Amino acid sequence: FTTTFIISNDTKLNQSISGLNSIVKNLTEGSFLLNATASSGLPISYMVSNPSIATISGASVYLLKAGVTTITAIQDGNET
């Protein structure tokens, strides 16, 4: 898996997401938890680029078949 980080920053302060690195999993593992944190302490949501490879529910990733997909961690930010 390749992990991608995107932080929306309209008129909000810069914030960062940490705790996710490149992820390599074996299909036999079935699922795993993501553990990213935002510098703001606000919740993070996740998206997967190829839902035929893996799906995400909350912070849980469910592996469906071998392949490569991008997991995007999003935290909209705030003014503080």
Side-chain angles (χ1 to χ4, degrees), residues 11-13 15 77-80:
T11 59
K12 300 171 184 173
L13 295 177
Q15 299 177 31
N78 63 6
E79 290 77 29
T80 61

Side-chain angles (χ1 to χ4, degrees), residues 14-58:
N14 288 332
Q15 299 177 31
S16 62
I17 295 175
S18 61
L20 288 181
N21 298 308
S22 293
I23 301 168
V24 177
K25 294 289 181 181
N26 189 302
L27 184 59
T28 60
E29 294 178 63
S31 65
F32 63 97
L33 288 174
L34 298 168
N35 59 354
T37 57
S39 61
S40 64
L42 295 171
I44 294 176
S45 59
Y46 302 95
M47 295 185 316
V48 64
S49 66
N50 189 342
S52 70
I53 301 294
T55 59
I56 295 180
S57 177

